[in-house]
Amino acid sequence: MPADPPHRARKPQRSTTNQPPSGSGTSAIEVRRSARRRRTVSAYREGDRTIVLIPARMSAAEEQRWVSVMLDKLAAQESRRVPGDAELAERAERLSAQYFAGRARAASVRWVTNQNTRWGSCTPAEGSIRLSHRLKGMPEYVIDYVLLHELAHLLVPGHGADFWRLLEAYPRTERARGYLEGVAAAARLPKDPGVRED
């Protein structure tokens, strides 16, 4: 039997670019396999693409599982990054342009710590929007929904049919509302009677 050829550094193998699972927030996933990588898996964002680095020996099923795990980890890391007031205002401007043709213009958008029963509020006469600090750390789509909700109030003051028609443009409205309802319901749950607080 001939001896194994000497080890040569090989270029990482790249899989074809895949479409991500729905709701992942990215437009493409590129998996790069490396013979030098033995056990570790890592991932990072590169523009609107997610790059996942895996060992070359992994099976297709392992690759699929690790891609899913790494997408979840990246999403969790990104959700912990809290935008400041300036970034929040820029985000509101982008959302208004995307969903309301730029018609909803906020004069100010900021985080506040005095809203414990509301997720956000809007004063249409001043064009000011305030988001509760309790939203910090929640998924981006939830923050976007609350921003859009308050931006919609700049166009329609109440919660009538016209208001909800505006929010139909945002595809994650129902999901975000469900998330917020779940958070609110969890806050009202009684403490486990079997757990003592010392």
Side-chain angles (χ1 to χ4, degrees):
M1 183 183 267
D4 289 337
H7 174 72
R8 290 187 200 144
R10 287 189 270 168
K11 285 186 173 181
Q13 299 171 351
R14 294 182 183 191
S15 75
T16 56
T17 300
N18 303 311
Q19 291 305 314
S22 62
S24 66
T26 59
S27 63
I29 300 164
E30 183 178 316
V31 176
R32 296 180 185 169
R33 293 173 170 266
S34 169
R36 295 180 68 193
R37 188 175 284 270
R38 297 285 177 219
R39 290 186 299 260
T40 61
V41 176
S42 62
Y44 61 92
R45 303 276 195 218
E46 193 174 83
D48 66 348
R49 177 182 302 251
T50 300
I51 310 298
V52 181
L53 307 171
I54 64 171
R57 64 173 172 69
M58 277 193 178
S59 68
E62 288 174 309
E63 173 184 320
Q64 190 173 16
R65 183 178 72 81
W66 274 106
V67 165
S68 179
V69 165
M70 297 312 289
L71 284 174
D72 288 346
K73 282 188 176 188
L74 284 173
Q77 288 171 357
E78 290 165 354
S79 73
R80 287 192 293 270
R81 291 188 197 122
V82 179
D85 289 351
E87 189 178 349
L88 209 54
E90 289 172 14
R91 199 162 167 177
E93 192 174 324
R94 281 194 310 271
L95 289 167
S96 175
Q98 184 175 357
Y99 295 102
F100 302 145
R103 294 179 300 130
R105 294 192 184 105
S108 70
V109 183
R110 61 191 174 95
W111 294 107
V112 294
T113 58
N114 62 350
Q115 288 189 6
N116 294 316
T117 59
R118 295 178 177 198
W119 297 113
S121 63
C122 173
T123 307
E126 298 172 4
S128 63
I129 292 175
R130 295 158 304 281
L131 296 190
S132 172
H133 70 286
R134 296 178 304 138
L135 289 165
K136 291 181 178 182
M138 289 190 187
E140 288 188 4
Y141 75 91
V142 174
I143 296 171
D144 286 350
Y145 164 73
V146 176
L147 275 171
L148 281 165
H149 184 107
E150 302 309 329
L151 284 165
H153 280 308
L154 295 175
L155 303 172
V156 179
H159 287 105
D162 290 342
F163 174 83
W164 292 110
R165 257 192 299 282
L166 281 173
L167 286 177
E168 285 175 0
Y170 185 56
R172 293 183 167 185
T173 291
E174 288 306 313
R175 184 175 176 192
R177 290 183 72 194
Y179 184 99
L180 292 170
E181 287 170 8
V183 169
R188 291 189 300 268
L189 287 175
K191 290 193 172 35
D192 185 345
V195 177
R196 286 183 19 190
E197 290 183 13
D198 294 324

